[in-house]
Amino acid sequence: MRLSELFIRLGAFGLAAVVCGFGARVAVATVESRSVEAVQLSLEENGHGFATVLGDGLQVILQGEAPSEAIRFRAISTAGGMVDASRVIDNMTVEDSADLEAPEFSMEILRNDSGISIIGLVPVSIDREELTETLSDMAGEDASFADLLESADYAEPEGWDDAVGFALRALERLPRSKISVRAGRVTIEAISDSREEKARLEAELRRISPRGLATALDIMAPRPVVSPYVTRFILDDEGARFDSCVADTAQAERRIVAAAQAAGVGERVGCTLALGSPTTQWADAVALAIASVEDLGGGAVTISDADVTLVAPIGTAQGNFDRVAGELENALPEVFALDAVLPEAPAAGNEGPPQFIATLSPEGLVQLRGRVSDDLLNTTAENFARAKFGSADISMATLVSDGMPTGWPVRVLAGIEALSKLSNGSVTVEPTSIVVRGNTGSESAGGEITRLLVEKLGSTDAFSVDVTYVEALDPIAALPTEDECLEQIGTVTETRKITFEPGSATIAGEGAGIIDDIAEILQKCAELRLEIAGYTDSQGSEDGNQRLSQQRADAVLDALRIRRVPVSKFRAIGYGEENPIADNETEDGREANRRIEFTLIMPESTEEPSALDQIEEEAATAAEEGAEAADGATDGDGTTE
């Protein structure tokens, strides 16, 4: 090969390399320019005009100051949507967040049988270790505890401590609950074991809720399981009424109540929603049965599970009775069976049926009188009454008689058990009927008595249950408020005084009896926040009097603790000779000043006065100053200088 040909080829290769390099530079510049333009346009279209875009080869560099970290991240994502995300270089900064508003602190606590979990955002200043230790202890060793809290370095908002404290006290009482906490507000959702437990928890939580804290309670109680499933409707001279009414759904309840109102029930009535219905057609059967009683012009119908017992009034025409009974039997759903009864009129000259009567007085005295069939029944009735009423105050005035009707022992014992469901009242047992009357502190007592009698006697026996719910007898509804508890303590100590041995903190005289009475009151006042204050007269040194008053206040607190009073919210303080209520120069005055006082502990208000409050306060101050100036300008004889 000639040398010239070699140079020509090398030259061609060199020229090609130069052209390729120049082309690559042009291509990179074009890609860079178009990438920058596309990213810049996309950022502006998405509201990120604060960001500027620079190109460095194939890399896209973002610069500028973003309003927040979230907006910075959105700008990066927008750029990554136009070019490959690996080409995006973030050189942006974020504005100073020192002046941003504090976030809304909140936390949610979940508790069930498996454990406790807590999630939310809380101030960094809270005692995190104490909070988690409390919740972990509450969960127990066999349950789990999950802490998912985040914290932020901002001041605790007003009302936060009260809300957290109440939430923990509520959680301790609610093993299946969800509690949401915000400053000044706590929302509780929970499940209780029964309606009685639901009422007790609601009353207790309202009582321990701090003043000024907004609370929302939603405690659900599972529907009770009722067996037998009984509804009993009566129409007689006293009017139309239910002895017992149960329904499986709210829709069924509305239909049953509508049928009862059409039959003459004028007052507002309702049914107990309960499980145990024999069929989904329960409301159909009950409504048809009530309509049949109305068609007869009176009588009673008892639907116990799938058995329907229709009892016509005495004197009903046979033809009308047959027609109504036949229509009901054909209209009832297939699962139900009808037993229609037309009672016979009593024979003329009858001296009346034998009776057994049991009464329960408001004081708890039980009296049994009337006829029993033999000595065994007499002894059994007395022992059964003692077992049911838990009292030895049983008065027996029964008479053993021959010829008592069949089933008399069962009727007598069923009557005693029915009476035990009441706070006071009576039960009258006859061969063909049982009448229960009285007062009760349980809203469900009427239905319980009806189901009891149906179960013991059968649905064909006639009985009447006329019981009245009295709120004052309800152990839950009748729980006293904090102010009422303090008023009752004041009544106990108004004429009597807790005394101590001279110069000692040993309770003396009738002081123990007074503390017994106070303890009995406080047993009904759970979670009461109470201060026990001790005072002395002015004799002796001031320091010595203060120590003695503190020891005496502590002695009263210890005495209440020994009597099983929940004193976790109590505090004992000795004030020595402060705040005298009488003259320390006399013996009677000194005796009055040596005292123990009980007062409620009021939560300290952290609320700032409003603008209106400040204006009113300034106006009142100005008026007082003006009045004082006017008084100062008046001389002793009432004339103005």
Side-chain angles (χ1 to χ4, degrees):
M1 178 181 297
R2 297 179 181 179
L3 186 60
S4 59
E5 293 179 358
L6 177 61
F7 284 115
I8 292 173
R9 292 180 181 180
L10 291 175
F13 278 113
L15 179 62
V18 171
V19 171
C20 289
F22 178 76
R25 287 180 175 274
V26 171
V28 168
T30 301
V31 171
E32 177 183 334
S33 175
R34 291 184 178 180
S35 297
V36 169
E37 291 176 0
V39 172
Q40 187 71 62
L41 180 62
S42 179
L43 289 172
E44 292 176 354
E45 288 178 349
N46 287 275
H48 304 311
F50 64 88
T52 58
V53 184
L54 300 177
D56 184 8
L58 295 180
Q59 292 181 330
V60 176
I61 302 172
L62 303 183
Q63 293 183 335
E65 188 175 55
S68 68
E69 186 67 31
I71 295 177
R72 183 188 71 85
F73 181 77
R74 294 193 191 103
I76 296 173
S77 299
T78 300
M82 300 304 299
V83 298
D84 190 290
S86 62
R87 295 170 53 194
V88 178
I89 305 299
D90 174 27
N91 283 344
M92 293 183 291
T93 59
V94 180
E95 292 181 7
D96 186 7
S97 61
D99 297 330
L100 295 179
E101 294 184 1
E104 181 183 15
F105 290 113
S106 65
M107 64 181 185
E108 190 170 273
I109 311 173
L110 301 176
R111 183 181 184 187
N112 53 35
D113 295 337
S114 61
I116 294 176
S117 64
I118 181 170
I119 187 172
L121 180 67
V122 298
V124 72
S125 58
I126 72 168
D127 192 337
R128 182 78 170 270
E129 183 177 351
E130 181 182 358
L131 176 63
T132 54
E133 183 178 350
T134 299
L135 293 175
S136 180
D137 291 343
M138 201 179 297
E141 296 181 358
D142 298 331
S144 62
F145 170 65
D147 180 5
L148 304 175
L149 286 178
E150 298 290 341
S151 58
D153 192 8
Y154 290 90
E156 293 184 12
E158 181 182 347
W160 176 259
D161 284 340
D162 284 346
V164 173
F166 174 67
L168 294 179
R169 292 195 297 273
L171 187 71
E172 188 177 7
R173 293 162 172 79
L174 301 169
R176 293 176 294 278
S177 59
K178 180 179 78 172
I179 301 180
S180 301
V181 182
R182 284 176 172 77
R185 182 174 182 82
V186 175
T187 302
I188 297 175
E189 298 177 21
I191 299 176
S192 63
D193 293 331
S194 64
R195 293 173 60 187
E196 292 76 16
E197 179 74 3
K198 166 180 159 54
R200 186 190 67 78
L201 288 171
E202 288 176 340
E204 185 173 350
L205 290 175
R206 289 192 179 97
R207 189 167 56 251
I208 67 175
S209 173
R211 287 179 173 84
L213 178 67
T215 58
L217 302 180
D218 183 13
I219 301 179
M220 297 176 291
R223 293 183 181 179
V225 178
V226 172
S227 180
Y229 208 74
V230 175
T231 291
R232 179 176 170 83
F233 180 79
I234 299 173
L235 178 60
D236 56 19
D237 295 338
E238 298 179 5
R241 63 189 184 277
F242 282 109
D243 271 355
S244 172
C245 181
V246 292
D248 51 346
T249 65
Q251 182 179 1
E253 179 191 21
R254 290 193 293 270
R255 183 171 181 186
I256 293 171
V257 169
Q261 291 173 337
V265 175
E267 61 183 8
R268 185 184 181 94
V269 295
C271 300
T272 300
L273 296 181
L275 304 175
S277 172
T279 173
T280 57
Q281 296 177 297
W282 174 261
D284 298 335
V286 174
L288 289 169
I290 292 174
S292 297
V293 173
E294 181 188 10
D295 199 2
L296 285 172
V301 65
T302 304
I303 306 95
S304 177
D305 291 333
D307 297 322
V308 180
T309 303
L310 176 66
V311 180
I314 296 176
T316 301
Q318 184 69 50
N320 189 41
F321 171 74
D322 292 341
R323 177 187 62 81
V324 172
E327 290 176 352
L328 177 59
E329 186 171 17
N330 285 280
L332 284 172
E334 185 176 352
V335 69
F336 291 92
L338 175 66
D339 182 11
V341 179
L342 179 58
E344 296 182 1
N350 194 337
E351 296 180 356
Q355 290 183 333
F356 173 86
I357 301 174
T359 60
L360 172 62
S361 72
E363 297 75 24
L365 173 64
V366 178
Q367 184 183 62
L368 307 181
R369 67 179 188 272
R371 300 187 183 185
V372 293
S373 54
D374 51 40
D375 290 332
L376 177 60
L377 176 57
N378 194 46
T379 303
T380 302
E382 181 179 3
N383 292 336
F384 189 60
R386 293 187 188 280
K388 283 296 178 182
F389 295 97
S391 170
D393 201 0
I394 307 292
S395 175
M396 297 295 295
T398 51
L399 176 66
V400 177
S401 301
D402 296 331
M404 301 304 295
T406 304
W408 190 252
V410 175
R411 301 178 71 80
V412 167
L413 298 179
I416 294 173
E417 187 170 359
L419 184 64
S420 69
K421 306 287 185 182
L422 302 179
S423 298
N424 59 76
S426 66
V427 58
T428 302
V429 180
E430 295 183 352
T432 58
S433 69
I434 293 181
V435 178
V436 182
R437 295 187 179 92
N439 299 319
T440 175
S442 171
E443 293 182 288
S444 61
E448 292 178 6
I449 292 172
T450 298
R451 290 191 293 273
L452 167 68
L453 296 179
V454 168
E455 183 179 8
K456 301 295 184 183
L457 308 179
S459 56
T460 59
D461 277 26
F463 58 84
S464 174
V465 180
D466 182 13
V467 298
T468 303
Y469 170 72
V470 180
E471 186 175 353
L473 300 174
D474 191 328
I476 301 300
L479 287 176
T481 64
E482 288 185 344
D483 292 333
E484 289 172 342
C485 291
L486 190 63
E487 183 179 350
Q488 293 176 23
I489 294 174
T491 301
V492 170
T493 58
E494 184 176 5
T495 57
R496 298 188 295 167
K497 182 178 180 181
I498 300 175
T499 57
F500 300 86
E501 294 181 359
S504 167
T506 303
I507 298 173
E510 63 172 349
I514 299 174
I515 293 179
D516 286 339
D517 294 341
I518 294 174
E520 185 176 351
I521 295 170
L522 293 176
Q523 292 288 357
K524 303 175 184 177
C525 303
E527 298 294 335
L528 185 68
R529 293 162 290 196
L530 195 68
E531 177 180 288
I532 303 171
Y535 295 92
T536 66
D537 56 32
S538 61
Q539 291 185 324
S541 68
E542 185 175 340
D543 290 342
N545 286 335
Q546 195 281 326
R547 285 195 300 271
L548 180 60
S549 64
Q550 181 66 56
Q551 292 168 357
R552 289 179 171 179
D554 289 337
V556 174
L557 180 65
D558 291 339
L560 292 173
R561 183 183 292 111
I562 291 172
R563 288 163 174 80
R564 298 183 182 275
V565 173
V567 297
S568 60
K569 302 299 180 182
F570 291 12
R571 69 185 182 200
I573 299 181
Y575 291 98
E577 56 192 63
E578 294 181 17
N579 305 323
I581 60 175
D583 187 0
N584 275 308
E585 298 301 321
T586 66
E587 179 58 36
D588 290 342
R590 290 192 292 272
E591 175 62 26
N593 289 331
R594 296 191 293 268
R595 67 196 188 277
I596 294 291
E597 289 185 354
F598 298 87
T599 57
L600 292 177
I601 299 174
M602 308 299 291
E604 296 182 2
S605 174
T606 58
E607 297 182 0
E608 294 291 335
S610 65
L612 179 59
D613 292 335
Q614 295 178 22
I615 293 172
E616 292 177 346
E617 184 178 353
E618 291 172 359
T621 302
E624 291 177 1
E625 291 175 351
E628 291 175 357
D631 290 341
T634 304
D635 60 20
D637 61 1
T639 61
T640 304
E641 296 178 348

